[in-house]
Amino acid sequence: MSAPLLAIEDVAVELPTPRGNLRAVDHVDLSLQAGRTLGIVGESGCGKTMLSRAVLQLLPKKAKLTGRVMFDGQDLVRLAPESLRRLRGRDLAVVFQDPMTSLNPVLTIGTQLMETIQEHLELDAPAAKARSIELLAAVGIPAPEQRLVQYPHQCSGGMRQRIAIAIALSCEPKLLIADEPTTALDVTIQAQILDLLAREQRRRHMAMIIITHDLGVVAGRADEVAVMYAGRVVERAPTQALFKRMHMPYTEALLAAIPKLDAAPHTPLPAISGRPPDPTRPLKGCSFAPRCNYAGRHCHAAKPVLTSAEMPDHVYACFHPIRMTEGMEA
Amino acid sequence: MMQLAVRPAPLLNVDNLVVEYGLGNKIVHAVSGVSLEVVRGETLGLVGESGCGKSTLGRAVLQLRRPKSGRVMFDGEDLTAMEGEALRRMRRRVQLIFQDPIASLNPRRRIGDIVAEPLIIAGIKDAAERKRRVHEVLSAVGLDPDLVANRLPHEFSGGQCQRICIARSLVLNPEFIVCDEPVSALDVSIRAQILNLLEEMKARFGLTLLFIAHDLAVVKAVSDRVAVMYLGRLCEVGPSEQLFAQPAHPYTALLLQAIPVPDPDVRPAESVAAGEPPSPIAPPSGCRFRTRCPRADQRCSAEIPELRQVAPGQFAACHHPLG
Ligand SMILES: Nc1ncnc2c1ncn2[C@@H]1O[C@H](COP(=O)(O)OP(=O)(O)OP(=O)(O)O)[C@@H](O)[C@H]1O
Ligand SMILES: Nc1ncnc2c1ncn2[C@@H]1O[C@H](COP(=O)(O)OP(=O)(O)OP(=O)(O)O)[C@@H](O)[C@H]1O
Ligand code: SF4
Ligand code: SF4
Ligand SMILES: [Mg+2]
Ligand SMILES: [Mg+2]
């Protein structure tokens, strides 16, 4: 296999808070090949956004980052601000949950698109305009020429997200990070946006990270899935393997707790008791131990590290993994 | 032989309800002639996309927003004709739980006082009796009254705040609760806890529920029957299993198709009906779904489809129903 486009190596993010140091990302390793899609799932506060901001080098000022983020052969953590700025928006693009994070309310849609294009590509105004129209059409905006002169507030939430995606795609990025791109949208619009992202990714052979708390969103659309809990990656595997043969009890519990469309009404849900630990008070053992049905004494005393069993690309952090092949259980 | 479903007299009967809002010199047609009924002990789920009028309908049922026309009968009495003391007395029997549990709790009041507030409003003067009731409902929702009663809302997580809201809604021993997206703001693992709790409370206190949500799987988990709403009107209503297995209205089918399924073997359907819902300020003529419906024809823009029975207990408002 060739060198990955992105390699997140031992990345940790700490934030000082009045309650003490908050370990938002706790030594994460992930990698992604060109043209592939990685899904990152986990519940609110588990560190998904902080991890993506660490990749983008867009962390809060007070945040302390350690580790390396290798992108296309260079370490973004150590890159000069000027080079970083050039990279972001060109090779490295992002779409946020709230499209207004990346849209400017006082500029027309046309101005914003053309500015991004001209900042990164050598195109004159007419060419940039033609490209803007082409992009808006590609993301499914009807009458794109008329949209160019409108402002974001004149568009619906779904339209704004399409425009944010058009801007993100404008310079043919190698990697697109989409942080909950559809969480704020209705389900029919959500399906349209996810289809749009998948289509453009295939067409451009772009790598993509989809961040979500909805396992349903990644199931049909990611090549590989990483499950995060309390700042760590607790399981990572090719999508099929993860859903069919998850080894980490948290992954199993998370999937079981989702109401299923094919279950009969009034079927009690296998809920996970309790809630995630306070990130300013890290636990000594496995962070899932207080809620885990499989926890043994050892789980409260030591932290399990990511290991693989049958398949090298399927790793999990657990002392008592489930669904292991006969005889392989430790 | 076809079994004729004999349904008992409904506890709640909503008849041709119309609710509008003024917006500048325009009118928002939020709810435009909705009729439905809920029998005692039943959970009716209400689904639909953002802005289709679910909350408005829920609030109009409780008379928190007075409808422009139509009737709301509760246990044989017309709430729309009620005022003053009579309405206040009736309100003890019907309660509301909101989507945002944290925002719906007063940040400066202690949990014990928040939960006791409906008792005070209802004029229960005996402090010991109030305390007994508060303890009872807090324990019922899985909180330790001695540990939580003296604390403030900010000391609790979203899931715990929703438990507190549920306790508050139960304290007057209501018969009917409108749950307006009670789990939409909660994480998957906490959501399951709260859904189970609602089911438990329903059985224990003999409740009847109108359960509003935009997530069909969540709605199915708790509802005996489901009503689907689009742009102020009902599209379809029927027994949950039936409606999900054989949707008759094209909009119900679209919603079902759009749900992301947590199973990698289920390929997401390539772009379901494009387009977005039109504005409720100028809804389309005839069938309001026609601008996005693959089956729409001339009749759909000329004639408003009425709810008609398509299978036992299942009704759809469509000129060309599926199946
Ligand atoms: N600016 C900040 N200052 C201090 N702590 C923060 C800040 N932003 C986030 N956190 C904390 O860092 C942790 C990780 O947050 P993060 O936003 O990465 O979670 P997330 O997985 O993206 O959650 P969500 O699904 O809610 O978006 C959380 O405990 C959060 O409270
Ligand atoms: N106070 C108000 N004034 C004007 N318009 C309103 C008001 N409240 C709601 N609306 C409008 O009425 C329509 C129905 O709103 P409602 O809140 O009932 O929808 P909903 O189905 O509950 O949506 P959501 O899923 O977003 O909660 C929407 O178009 C909304 O913008
Ligand atoms: S290490 Fe122990 S507590 Fe953690 S998930 Fe595995 S079995 Fe559960
Ligand atoms: S009435 Fe016509 S437009 Fe409306 S749902 Fe039925 S077929 Fe579609
Ligand atoms: Mg986030
Ligand atoms: Mg609402």
Side-chain angles (χ1 to χ4, degrees):
Chain A
M1 214 185 269
S2 55
L5 175 69
L6 175 75
I8 297 172
E9 295 171 6
D10 199 32
V11 162
V13 177
E14 273 195 12
L15 295 150
T17 76
R19 292 176 43 77
N21 251 355
L22 184 151
R23 173 76 51 92
V25 178
D26 192 3
H27 299 284
V28 165
D29 290 280
L30 284 173
S31 68
L32 182 61
Q33 297 286 335
R36 308 273 293 172
T37 300
L38 169 69
I40 300 182
V41 293
E43 294 180 81
S44 187
C46 73
K48 304 181 295 293
T49 295
M50 283 300 147
L51 178 62
S52 67
R53 287 186 177 272
V55 171
L56 294 159
Q57 297 293 302
L58 288 174
L59 287 168
K61 272 212 174 56
K62 56 185 182 180
K64 199 172 134 251
L65 167 71
T66 58
R68 297 206 304 170
V69 177
M70 301 302 297
F71 177 73
D72 214 9
Q74 31 191 350
D75 183 359
L76 301 187
V77 179
R78 273 145 205 102
L79 209 59
E82 182 50 30
S83 324
L84 252 179
R85 225 172 40 83
R86 237 178 303 120
L87 210 63
R88 274 200 304 261
R90 195 187 60 203
D91 294 339
L92 188 57
V94 60
V95 176
F96 295 103
Q97 172 173 341
D98 177 2
M100 287 316 287
T101 312
S102 36
L103 295 179
N104 186 332
V106 301
L107 295 181
T108 63
I109 289 151
T111 309
Q112 301 189 46
L113 258 168
M114 286 165 63
E115 265 184 5
T116 315
I117 293 171
Q118 288 190 291
E119 188 182 329
H120 295 290
L121 307 176
E122 275 169 32
L123 289 181
D124 59 10
K129 182 174 175 192
R131 185 156 167 79
S132 302
I133 294 171
E134 195 186 295
L135 277 161
L136 289 179
V139 298
I141 303 258
E145 233 180 312
Q146 293 160 34
R147 283 284 167 192
L148 287 181
V149 296
Q150 293 193 329
Y151 293 89
H153 71 90
Q154 291 171 297
C155 306
S156 68
M159 286 285 177
R160 282 184 213 150
Q161 195 57 294
R162 284 176 199 272
I163 293 162
I165 291 172
I167 293 177
L169 295 176
S170 60
C171 302
E172 306 277 337
K174 293 180 181 155
L175 171 65
L176 177 71
I177 299 181
D179 188 354
E180 313 240 14
T182 58
T183 305
L185 302 175
D186 267 318
V187 34
T188 59
I189 314 296
Q190 170 177 345
Q192 294 171 24
I193 298 285
L194 290 171
D195 285 349
L196 163 67
L197 285 172
R199 200 177 56 232
E200 292 305 313
Q201 178 200 18
R202 274 196 305 275
R203 245 187 40 177
R204 295 161 199 270
H205 195 66
M206 164 181 89
M208 184 155 76
I209 296 180
I210 297 189
I211 295 174
T212 169
H213 59 264
D214 186 345
L215 274 166
V217 165
V218 294
R221 304 178 187 270
D223 300 304
E224 217 190 4
V225 177
V227 179
M228 282 186 78
Y229 188 75
R232 308 184 117 204
V233 171
V234 293
E235 183 158 15
R236 175 169 52 82
T239 311
Q240 289 279 345
L242 186 91
F243 281 86
K244 295 283 139 65
R245 288 172 52 76
M246 57 206 66
H247 294 324
M248 167 72 190
Y250 174 66
T251 313
E252 179 189 55
L254 195 59
L255 193 60
I258 302 174
K260 305 289 180 310
L261 265 180
D262 52 9
H266 306 301
T267 311
L269 292 162
I272 311 175
S273 62
R275 57 187 165 121
D278 178 347
T280 59
R281 305 275 182 279
L283 301 176
K284 191 152 152 259
C286 171
S287 3
F288 191 53
R291 313 172 77 186
C292 180
N293 289 332
Y294 304 86
R297 271 237 313 280
H298 192 50
C299 303
H300 294 275
K303 264 207 195 308
V305 294
L306 282 174
T307 32
S308 65
E310 310 103 29
M311 309 285 245
D313 55 357
H314 188 164
V315 294
Y316 55 87
C318 178
F319 295 122
H320 307 290
I322 49 178
R323 288 194 186 78
M324 299 294 286
T325 318
E326 284 295 304
M328 279 188 88
E329 188 157 353
Chain B
M1 199 181 74
M2 200 171 91
Q3 188 111 26
L4 257 184
V6 184
R7 285 171 59 81
L11 177 63
L12 176 77
N13 190 329
V14 174
D15 185 29
N16 207 9
L17 201 69
V18 176
V19 192
E20 295 174 353
Y21 299 101
L23 195 70
N25 54 5
K26 301 200 177 84
I27 294 170
V28 180
H29 302 273
V31 174
S32 310
V34 166
S35 302
L36 50 83
E37 46 179 62
V38 191
V39 300
R40 205 178 273 281
E42 177 180 57
T43 299
L44 176 69
L46 181 63
V47 294
E49 291 176 272
S50 185
C52 73
K54 305 180 295 295
S55 298
T56 303
L57 177 61
R59 297 175 62 81
V61 163
L62 301 185
Q63 302 301 306
L64 295 171
R65 171 92 201 180
R66 290 288 192 163
K68 179 166 178 258
S69 62
R71 281 207 309 179
V72 177
M73 302 290 291
F74 183 78
D75 202 14
E77 296 191 65
D78 186 355
L79 298 188
T80 40
M82 252 182 222
E83 283 179 43
E85 186 51 33
L87 188 58
R88 259 195 301 282
R89 259 202 321 277
M90 195 52 112
R91 281 222 181 103
R92 298 174 54 166
R93 301 171 62 188
V94 293
Q95 292 291 321
L96 180 63
I97 302 172
F98 299 93
Q99 166 169 358
D100 187 345
I102 297 171
S104 67
L105 298 175
N106 183 335
R108 284 180 301 274
R109 304 204 57 196
R110 297 184 187 284
I111 303 306
D113 297 333
I114 289 175
V115 176
E117 193 175 358
L119 295 169
I120 292 172
I121 294 171
I124 294 174
K125 302 223 163 56
D126 181 349
E129 165 66 9
R130 287 202 305 262
K131 188 164 180 201
R132 196 187 59 74
R133 283 294 299 157
V134 168
H135 270 233
E136 187 182 332
V137 291
L138 281 174
S139 318
V141 299
L143 297 171
D144 182 340
D146 295 319
L147 282 181
V148 307
N150 283 319
R151 291 164 65 188
L152 294 168
H154 76 258
E155 298 175 60
F156 295 91
S157 67
Q160 286 173 315
C161 286
Q162 197 56 289
R163 284 178 195 272
I164 294 162
C165 292
I166 293 172
R168 178 177 58 181
S169 77
L170 291 171
V171 78
L172 284 172
N173 252 327
E175 293 154 64
F176 184 82
I177 303 182
V178 174
C179 309
D180 191 357
E181 311 240 15
V183 297
S184 304
L186 304 176
D187 258 320
V188 189
S189 72
I190 314 297
R191 178 177 299 180
Q193 294 172 11
I194 297 296
L195 288 173
N196 287 346
L197 174 69
L198 278 171
E199 291 276 89
E200 227 180 280
M201 295 300 108
K202 186 189 158 199
R204 177 158 163 195
F205 296 101
L207 300 169
T208 304
L209 304 180
L210 177 63
F211 186 96
I212 300 172
H214 58 262
D215 181 329
L216 277 98
V218 164
V219 160
K220 190 182 175 198
V222 296
S223 305
D224 303 293
R225 289 190 307 131
V226 171
V228 182
M229 216 174 155
Y230 184 80
L231 214 60
R233 294 225 180 98
L234 280 194
C235 300
E236 182 162 14
V237 53
S240 313
E241 296 260 36
Q242 170 74 22
L243 188 116
F244 282 73
Q246 276 168 330
H249 197 285
Y251 179 61
T252 314
L254 169 68
L255 276 183
L256 282 166
Q257 209 191 337
I259 298 175
V261 182
D263 179 346
D265 291 340
V266 180
R267 281 281 136 201
E270 254 313 307
S271 262
V272 286
E276 305 190 1
S279 154
I281 291 172
S285 65
C287 174
R288 289 189 176 177
F289 184 55
R290 71 176 161 83
T291 54
R292 300 172 77 192
C293 181
R295 301 189 148 214
D297 65 7
Q298 283 225 296
R299 188 174 168 207
C300 304
S301 51
E303 229 181 284
I304 298 175
E306 298 291 328
L307 272 180
R308 280 180 304 120
Q309 178 146 297
V310 290
Q314 186 182 8
F315 300 80
C318 174
H319 297 308
H320 312 292
L322 309 167

